[in-house]
Amino acid sequence: MTEPEIHKGLAGVVVDYTAISKVNPESNSLLYRGYPVQELAGHRDMEDVAYLLWNGELPDAAQRQEFDAFERAHRALPEQVIAAIDLLPATAHPMDVARTAVSVMGASHPLAGDNSVEANMEKAATLFAAFPAVVAYDQRRRRGQALVEPRDDLGYSANFLWMTFGEEAPTEVVHAFDVSMVLYAEHSFNASTFTARVITSTLADLHSAVTGAIGALKGALHGGANEAVMHTFEEIGIREDESAEDAAVRAKAWMEDALASKKKVMGFGHRVYKSGDSRVPTMKSALDAMIEYYGRSEILGLYSGLETAMDEAKGIKPNLDYPAGPTYHLMGFDTEMFTPLFIAARITGWTAHVMEQVASNSLIRPLSLYNGPEERHVD
Ligand SMILES: CC(=O)SCCNC(=O)CCNC(=O)[C@H](O)C(C)(C)COP(=O)(O)OP(=O)(O)OC[C@H]1O[C@@H](n2cnc3c(N)ncnc32)[C@H](O)[C@@H]1OP(=O)(O)O
Ligand SMILES: O=C([O-])CC(=O)C(=O)O
């Protein structure tokens, strides 16, 4: 009998159809419901993209008005969620706080036991609306600051920054942040989305799927890479008064050492894209805008030094987490908050996949080839 072929990490395995996004490594493109992500990032905001991912079409004016009214009315954290967060030490990792908060949101949602299409849409929209307050509150309590209530006169991204920093962010910063949200929103069957689909396939509820997806996103090989990128910059040393050229020289030397000692450097490489991540040029432009806005050219030096050295040594290109990390740093987010920012955006993609899985479900249960001891018996 021939042994079945093992596909470690499910690499190259096509497990299902999806109409939500198309990742094309050959043309280096990414489409959300048919629209190139660069066009969405340039011309539409995160609210439009959330609506598109869930409904398959961009909203018209009336649909957008209705969507905004719902989203803005559900931004405040329920009391139980604040209480649950307060039970955790301020030193808890924000990904653990986020995972706990989503679980509490699920348990206390009025439609907790209802997995109907309508209930799932309502749960997805509620989670999208309220999750930014989890991130904002967590960053503030880590700094000993009080919760800032949401504002309903600001868009999603402007309000997110308002609740985090307690002041209105300049337009340039809101735009760069919104671009990052759009780019992070969806990416087909990545590890966390697949986790959400596996959980959904057992007929478990949407919040369970998102809670599990957060666990999968936390690791440094996936979403945790945006935090890890910043730790690399910190390890090299961020010197605000240094020239971009000097910073690049130090970064290049650091990368050469890291690769010589066979280190995996987070923020580089991708399972699907082999000649560069389709989202990086758009996110790099947003980073450039922030470097210019904050007058921090040494960050560009560190960025370019690492990128060039990796390319020269291994030909491996940056992924989205690479430009996103320093962008969030410049905006003033704590490094540990970066992956929760990824969650805020990806809630839209995950929940779109939950609904797609429900609509055409089959229990996800692959096979394995046993290679343990031969049958034996207890004496
Ligand atoms: C938004 C996202 O989630 S994007 C992904 C974020 N993750 C990261 O940035 C983590 C760092 N990158 C990696 O670990 C990998 O590139 C992954 C996990 C993303 C993709 O990996 P895979 O497709 O499984 O490739 P794999 O890890 O086998 O790498 C292939 C080769 O490239 C090397 N390589 C890949 N990425 C890196 C890296 N970041 N640093 C150094 N070497 C790398 C591997 O060491 C391996 O070399 P070898 O063949 O000599 O052993
Ligand atoms: O697709 C992947 O494997 C990881 C990724 O880039 C994402 O989830 O955005």
Side-chain angles (χ1 to χ4, degrees), residues 79-112:
E79 282 303 319
Q80 307 94 304
V81 180
I82 297 176
I85 293 176
D86 286 342
L87 284 174
L88 303 172
T91 51
H93 193 283
M95 284 300 281
D96 298 342
V97 174
R99 193 189 59 233
T100 304
V102 169
S103 188
V104 174
M105 284 172 172
S108 51
H109 196 284
L111 300 173

Side-chain angles (χ1 to χ4, degrees), residues 3-4 6 367-376:
E3 277 208 349
I6 302 289
L367 297 176
S368 53
L369 194 60
Y370 179 70
N371 65 355
E374 288 301 323
E375 180 170 339
R376 51 186 166 165

Side-chain angles (χ1 to χ4, degrees), residues 8-9 11 183-184 187 190-192 217 219-226 228-229 255 258-259 262-274 277 279 310 314 316-322 342 346:
K8 273 284 220 193
L183 296 176
Y184 264 139
H187 212 240
N190 59 81
S192 56
L217 190 73
L221 296 189
H222 191 10
N226 64 4
V229 165
M255 181 63 96
L259 295 179
K262 303 256 173 276
K263 225 174 149 180
K264 227 176 197 192
V265 184
M266 302 307 159
F268 291 88
H270 200 276
R271 172 59 69 76
V272 182
Y273 300 115
K274 294 302 173 198
D277 181 326
R279 303 159 291 184
M310 178 63 105
K314 295 193 133 227
I316 298 177
K317 312 287 182 203
N319 57 54
L320 175 58
D321 288 323
Y322 188 57
F342 189 158
R346 189 57 63 89

Side-chain angles (χ1 to χ4, degrees), residues 192-216:
S192 56
T193 301
F194 190 59
T195 302
R197 291 191 75 127
V198 170
I199 294 171
T200 304
S201 82
T202 71
L203 303 185
D205 64 291
L206 178 143
H207 285 87
S208 293
V210 173
T211 305
I214 292 173

